[in-house]
């Protein structure tokens, strides 16, 4: 009788574990869902009505299984002059990229590559020109994706200027980042 109860318990536990793992992976966004939820805003904080195809040209989602430490093949060819890498960090409300309280200024930014550990929470990355308090461009990324997001969307900002980058979380949830690479001094 004890063996029956033990086998029944093991079977129930295995079944519960299987369905819990299936449900967790079912919540991760596939690339089509990811692209359909990305929003890009202009300097007036107005959403730019990009189609999914246009978003795919602006932003490249690289699922976890394809992520490498330095995806050299994904970087805009002329943006490799200077790189700033953040390393790991967490934030809940907002954080500026760089060592200063309002972030470092990056001259002629071209790309950002954001990598998350595990499943990402929703957040927005915004570029601010110089010491301006209003953003020049923002990209809202949905939660639920894993891996890296490569964003050469900064190449169309006015050239010859410096920009700071700010990440804003949504809903007060803690956002974990493995690394953000900022590629700047683009001479294109």
């Amino acid at each position: 009788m004890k063996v029956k109860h033990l086998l029944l318990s093991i079977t129930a536990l295995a079944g519960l574990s299987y369905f819990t793992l299936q449900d967790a992976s079912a919540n991760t966004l596939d690339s089509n869902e990811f692209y359909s939820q990305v929003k890009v805003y202009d300097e007036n904080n107005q959403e730019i009505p990009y189609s999914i195809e246009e978003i795919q040209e602006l932003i490249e989602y690289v699922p976890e299984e394809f992520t490498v430490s330095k995806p050299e093949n994904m970087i805009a060819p002329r943006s490799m002059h200077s790189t700033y890498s953040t390393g790991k960090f967490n934030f809940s409300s907002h954080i500026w990229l760089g060592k200063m309280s309002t972030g470092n200024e990056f001259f002629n930014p071209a790309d950002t590559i954001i990598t998350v550990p595990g499943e990402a929470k929703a957040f927005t990355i915004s570029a601010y020109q110089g010491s301006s308090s209003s953003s020049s461009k923002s990209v809202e990324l949905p939660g639920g994706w894993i891996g890296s997001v490569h964003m050469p969307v900064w190449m169309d900002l006015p050239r010859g200027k410096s920009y700071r980058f700010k990440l804003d979380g949504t809903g007060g949830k803690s956002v974990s980042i493995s690394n953000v690479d900022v590629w700047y001094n683009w001479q294109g």
Side-chain angles (χ1 to χ4, degrees):
M1 186 71 155
K2 288 183 181 181
V3 172
K4 259 187 177 178
H5 285 284
L6 181 61
L7 288 174
L8 185 58
S9 297
I10 291 171
T11 304
L13 184 59
L16 182 60
S17 297
Y18 172 77
F19 289 112
T20 302
L21 290 174
Q22 294 290 49
D23 289 343
S25 64
N27 292 332
T28 304
L29 295 180
D30 67 25
S31 61
N32 289 329
E33 291 172 312
F34 172 83
Y35 288 120
S36 70
Q37 293 181 36
V38 170
K39 294 180 169 75
V40 180
Y41 298 91
D42 65 14
E43 66 276 3
N44 298 316
N45 205 25
Q46 298 295 312
E47 184 176 354
I48 301 170
Y50 288 123
S51 68
I52 290 176
E53 293 77 20
E54 290 170 316
I55 292 287
Q56 289 172 328
E57 290 175 14
L58 293 173
I59 298 170
E60 183 177 4
Y61 168 51
V62 184
E64 184 176 45
E65 61 268 19
F66 299 112
T67 301
V68 293
S69 60
K70 291 285 185 186
E72 304 293 340
N73 61 324
M74 295 177 6
I75 298 161
R78 293 176 276 187
S79 69
M80 298 191 345
H81 187 270
S82 300
T83 307
Y84 177 83
S85 296
T86 63
K88 294 180 183 180
F89 63 92
N90 297 312
F91 67 98
S92 294
S93 59
H94 70 273
I95 191 167
W96 292 92
L97 298 184
K99 297 184 183 349
M100 302 175 68
S101 62
T102 56
N104 291 0
E105 289 190 3
F106 301 99
F107 183 73
N108 285 346
D111 300 272
T112 50
I113 300 172
I114 300 172
T115 305
V116 296
E119 190 173 306
K121 303 285 191 254
F123 65 93
T124 301
I125 181 169
S126 303
Y128 292 78
Q129 183 182 326
S131 60
S132 173
S133 61
S134 59
S135 68
S136 297
K137 186 175 219 170
S138 298
V139 178
E140 184 179 307
L141 298 172
W145 53 276
I146 55 172
S148 296
V149 176
H150 169 237
M151 299 188 304
V153 299
W154 316 113
M155 286 190 279
D156 64 352
L157 291 172
R159 301 289 87 195
K161 302 188 182 307
S162 294
Y163 295 85
R164 299 172 296 123
F165 291 95
K166 180 181 175 188
L167 278 66
D168 287 292
T170 55
K173 295 180 181 175
S174 180
V175 178
S176 295
I177 304 289
S178 293
N179 190 57
V180 177
D181 284 328
V182 179
W183 297 83
Y184 62 103
N185 279 339
W186 181 69
Q187 304 301 316

